[in-house]
Amino acid sequence: MGCTSSAASDRINTNDPLEEPPPPQQGDPRLPLTARQKFSITKSWKAIQRAMEDVGINMFIRLFKTHPEYQELFIEYKDMSEEKLRNNLNFATHCGMVMNIFDEVIDSLDDVDHIINLLNKRGRKHAKYGVKPEYVKDIREPFLRAVEELLEHRYTEKMEEVYKSMIDFVLEHFLHGLQENEG
């Protein structure tokens, strides 16, 4: 207790082979998610993966309700009712392809270079279709609401912040690719 031999044994031995582990690696500073947020979004995304096409359809229908002029840009879906859109195989396929981009982003959270290259490439591809930056920015809220609808009670305020950070990151790099050839 107070004797010198116990005090000496309480000292840390600097030659001990069991050193303190190194601090956890910091994530890529370009990705606006902490390790805990990455874990949370990856875990919640599993529910979305099981219904990606439906989430994509709900996202686009919300976008078209808010911005009917965007539906007119899709010649194939122009003037289609919501019911016809929901039952259109080509529309479902397109929505699934868009959601697959989000899926690849979530799946690649440890490879930010890959994510940025993917999003820039998709942005450049959409620039060829005449997509304008404002069209892309307007997908944010429909995406968040479609995710919220699927996750229901699991879509907490904290989870919403994680998804907002993720969609903002996605849009930033998609827009970068979209705008590369402008000017």
Side-chain angles (χ1 to χ4, degrees), residues 127-172:
K128 294 175 184 175
Y129 300 132
V131 173
K132 299 198 180 331
E134 58 270 20
Y135 305 166
V136 175
K137 292 175 186 173
D138 287 334
I139 200 74
R140 183 181 192 267
E141 281 305 310
F143 171 80
L144 293 170
R145 298 297 64 88
V147 168
E148 177 182 27
E149 179 181 15
L150 183 93
L151 293 179
E152 297 175 329
H153 67 278
R154 295 169 290 180
Y155 193 78
T156 62
E157 284 182 30
K158 283 185 178 182
M159 188 58 66
E160 182 173 46
E161 288 308 311
V162 173
Y163 274 96
K164 282 180 177 180
S165 294
M166 193 275 299
I167 188 69
D168 291 344
F169 173 79
V170 167
L171 295 178
E172 174 188 349

Side-chain angles (χ1 to χ4, degrees), residues 54-76:
D54 290 337
V55 173
I57 289 170
N58 290 337
M59 175 181 71
F60 271 98
I61 287 178
R62 278 184 170 81
L63 178 68
F64 293 163
K65 282 182 177 179
T66 311
H67 298 280
E69 68 276 16
Y70 294 171
Q71 185 174 348
E72 300 300 310
L73 300 172
F74 292 89
I75 296 166
E76 190 174 343

Side-chain angles (χ1 to χ4, degrees), residues 1-13:
M1 289 198 127
C3 70
T4 57
S5 63
S6 69
S9 67
D10 289 342
R11 289 189 203 123
I12 297 173
N13 181 355

Side-chain angles (χ1 to χ4, degrees), residues 56-130:
I57 289 170
N58 290 337
M59 175 181 71
F60 271 98
I61 287 178
R62 278 184 170 81
L63 178 68
F64 293 163
K65 282 182 177 179
T66 311
H67 298 280
E69 68 276 16
Y70 294 171
Q71 185 174 348
E72 300 300 310
L73 300 172
F74 292 89
I75 296 166
E76 190 174 343
Y77 315 129
K78 193 175 183 178
D79 299 323
M80 272 193 190
S81 68
E82 178 179 335
E83 182 181 350
K84 285 185 179 181
L85 284 171
R86 288 189 182 279
N87 294 309
N88 184 290
L89 183 58
N90 290 333
F91 182 66
T93 300
H94 180 264
C95 294
M97 288 176 13
V98 170
M99 291 304 294
N100 281 333
I101 296 169
F102 290 111
D103 189 54
E104 189 169 346
V105 168
I106 300 294
D107 192 47
S108 303
L109 290 175
D110 290 326
D111 188 353
V112 178
D113 287 328
H114 172 74
I115 295 171
I116 291 172
N117 289 333
L118 168 74
L119 295 170
N120 285 180
K121 181 179 174 183
R122 292 294 176 198
R124 286 190 301 273
K125 182 177 181 182
H126 281 73
K128 294 175 184 175
Y129 300 132

